[in-house]
């Protein structure tokens, strides 16, 4: 029997921040009624719609209340049957995903694994929304290539389909990069490009310079290759060149890995002046720059004023630099992650070594997918797709920034990215925030802990929030939950700040 009177027995105080967010007040009230016997075990609860109407809250809030109860073990729900009070009381702490000791080896799988928990709202992964990806259009292009099936299911070339390299040369030309089809190597995503470069330029025991903080994947890749990362700190304009010069002089590294545009995880963009000085510094010390530019197409603000890629600036400066710049890009973050197509541009001698490595490692990439992508680019569908989704992702970015300003306490700062999917949040040094992630998971919100992106980890000081896969409402609710949790933790120590900032200038 449905307990239709449940809504009339729950009191909500929206003005009392000490009581917590509305969804948790609802969940706590249900738990109290079960413990007192007012709500019988096994009884059926109202639908989300009916509960929302009876309490005067949104369906999202009612759904979050039920999700909280399920996570804590107080209710069971079955599609088609409804939500019921659990017959047995919770015998242990609620089941939530746990990273345990954060490590690079398992962090990426764990961050993606948060999505396996039905009630979890995940801000953990820097990916596009599957609902916005042009899967149907791409499949239709694949079907349209049926007449070439015999050729497309043979082995292709190690360097990649010529038709795709032609289109890629046009794409990079729009970015100011001079590269013909023969200058381009097609890869299985950006990560394979990084793997090829690491193998070609490094030997076990070498030390490679990366930004602090940096892409989690490069840290794992270097570790698996027995190469040690050395971190260079960032300031508002990019990597600190004074520190970088000392590292170059001391280490003479095989390469310096950088994400100059919409950096992951910080979301920041290196200034044009810093790029120019970086190129001269690397040339002086004979250090190859590996430029990861996978987020460039995702520019939300004044894309026409975005600094040129490092490789374009290097070509324009005509530097006498034997190694030069390796430029890496991928369609995984903009178009279709599962297609796994990326590419790189490298100086001729290095490119030939990379093609030879590609031949040895996997013979070739899939000709069908590469030819279909070539058609997608040739017909202007890639540009049309980007033009369609940019306003949606821009609105989600704005929702994240606005929610952070409304929900976070004093002492918390964050980046306001002008592209990509990431905002880097910095917390005050405070012992109550040491296990913040596990507390957030228990409340149904996942994020990426900052230490997994760092050579020298600072546990509990940073978090990366990604907005690509969530709706604006989900983003606001998740950030509100995080803000409530951080406020609660800071209140546990006398003298900790309690005031919530109503608006804050972004950093």
């Amino acid at each position: 029997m449905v307990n239709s009177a449940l809504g009339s027995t729950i009191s909500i105080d929206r003005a009392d921040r000490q009581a917590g967010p509305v969804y948790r007040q609802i969940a706590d009230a249900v738990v109290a009624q079960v413990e007192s016997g007012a709500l019988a075990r096994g009884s059926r609860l109202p639908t989300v719609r009916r509960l929302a109407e009876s309490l005067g809250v949104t369906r999202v809030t009612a759904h979050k209340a039920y999700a909280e109860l399920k996570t804590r073990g107080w209710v069971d729900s079955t599609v088609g049957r409804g939500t019921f009070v659990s017959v047995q009381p919770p015998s242990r702490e609620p089941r939530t995903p746990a990273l345990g000791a954060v490590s690079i080896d398992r962090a990426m799988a764990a961050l993606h694994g948060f999505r396996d928990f039905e009630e979890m709202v995940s801000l953990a992964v820097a990916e596009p929304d599957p609902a916005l990806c042009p899967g149907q259009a791409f499949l239709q292009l694949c079907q349209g290539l049926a007449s070439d099936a015999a050729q497309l299911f043979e082995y292709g070339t190690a360097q990649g389909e010529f038709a795709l390299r032609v289109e890629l040369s046009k794409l990079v030309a729009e970015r100011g990069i001079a590269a013909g089809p023969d200058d381009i190597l097609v890869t299985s995503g950006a990560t394979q490009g990084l793997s090829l470069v690491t193998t070609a330029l490094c030997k076990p025991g070498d030390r490679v310079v990366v930004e602090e903080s940096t892409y989690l994947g490069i840290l794992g890749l270097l570790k698996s290759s027995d190469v040690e990362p050395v971190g260079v700190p960032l300031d508002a304009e990019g990597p600190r060149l004074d520190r970088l010069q000392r590292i170059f002089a001391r280490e003479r590294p095989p390469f310096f890995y950088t994400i100059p545009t919409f950096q992951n995880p910080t979301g920041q963009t290196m200034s044009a002046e810093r790029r120019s000085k970086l190129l001269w510094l690397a040339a002086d010390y004979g250090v190859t720059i590996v430029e990861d530019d996978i987020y460039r197409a995702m520019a939300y603000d004044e894309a026409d004023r975005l600094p040129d890629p490092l490789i374009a600036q290097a070509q324009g400066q005509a530097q006498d630099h034997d190694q030069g710049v390796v430029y890496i890009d991928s369609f995984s973050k903009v178009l279709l992650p599962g297609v796994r197509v990326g590419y790189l541009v490298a100086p001729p001698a290095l490119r030939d070594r990379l093609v030879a490595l590609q031949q040895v490692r996997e013979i070739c990439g899939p000709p069908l997918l590469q030819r279909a992508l070539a058609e997608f680019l040739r017909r202007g569908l890639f540009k049309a797709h980007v033009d369609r989704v940019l306003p949606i992702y821009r609105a989600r970015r704005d929702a994240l920034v606005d929610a952070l300003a409304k929900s976070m306490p004093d002492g918390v700062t964050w980046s306001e990215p002008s592209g990509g999917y990431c905002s880097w949040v910095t917390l005050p040094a405070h012992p109550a925030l040491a296990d913040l992630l596990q507390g957030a998971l228990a409340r149904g919100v996942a994020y990426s802990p900052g230490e997994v992106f760092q050579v020298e980890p600072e546990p509990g000081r940073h978090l990366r929030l990604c907005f690509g896969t969530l709706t604006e409402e989900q983003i606001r609710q998740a950030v509100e939950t995080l803000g409530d949790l951080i406020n609660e933790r800071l209140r546990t120590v006398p003298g900790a700040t309690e005031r919530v900032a109503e608006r804050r200038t972004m950093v």
Side-chain angles (χ1 to χ4, degrees), residues 256-271:
F256 168 47
Y257 171 75
T258 177
I259 312 172
T261 304
F262 314 139
Q263 204 252 11
N264 176 13
T266 66
Q268 73 179 68
T269 294
M270 193 187 305
S271 69

Side-chain angles (χ1 to χ4, degrees), residues 249-436:
R250 182 181 72 242
E251 304 291 347
R252 300 288 174 166
F255 68 84
F256 168 47
Y257 171 75
T258 177
I259 312 172
T261 304
F262 314 139
Q263 204 252 11
N264 176 13
T266 66
Q268 73 179 68
T269 294
M270 193 187 305
S271 69
E273 181 180 2
R274 185 65 57 86
R275 292 175 192 234
S276 179
K277 292 179 178 179
L278 169 61
L279 288 167
W280 287 111
L281 179 64
D284 285 344
Y285 286 91
V287 176
T288 297
I289 295 176
V290 177
E291 176 180 14
D292 187 337
D293 205 27
I294 64 173
Y295 294 105
R296 174 168 289 269
M298 305 305 294
Y300 309 131
D301 307 315
E302 300 180 320
D304 57 333
R305 298 181 61 184
L306 203 59
D308 289 338
L310 287 164
I311 189 172
Q313 288 195 29
Q315 291 172 341
Q317 293 175 1
Q319 296 186 47
D320 181 16
H321 183 194
D322 292 336
Q323 299 296 325
V325 179
V326 178
Y327 182 80
I328 294 179
D329 190 14
S330 168
F331 293 91
S332 295
K333 301 301 186 183
V334 184
L335 193 64
L336 293 161
V339 170
R340 304 303 302 142
V341 176
Y343 64 95
L344 62 81
V345 179
L350 178 57
R351 183 203 60 230
D352 291 344
R353 291 177 62 194
L354 297 175
V355 172
L357 280 171
Q358 176 85 312
Q359 178 78 49
V360 170
R361 286 191 171 185
E362 63 174 65
I363 302 177
C364 69
L368 172 61
L369 296 180
Q370 292 184 14
R371 184 80 64 82
L373 180 57
E375 276 296 293
F376 204 87
L377 291 166
R378 187 184 68 80
R379 298 184 186 190
L381 297 177
F382 176 68
K383 183 179 185 305
H385 165 70
V386 172
D387 290 343
R388 178 177 64 87
V389 300
L390 277 182
I392 300 172
Y393 288 122
R394 182 186 298 115
R396 293 178 181 182
R397 185 276 311 269
D398 292 345
L400 178 75
V401 170
D402 184 63
L404 286 166
K406 291 178 178 177
S407 301
M408 291 297 159
D410 285 342
V412 178
T413 60
W414 54 90
S415 63
E416 182 175 346
S418 56
Y421 302 118
C422 308
S423 177
W424 186 246
V425 179
T426 299
L427 305 175
H430 198 292
L433 301 178
D435 63 343
L436 183 69

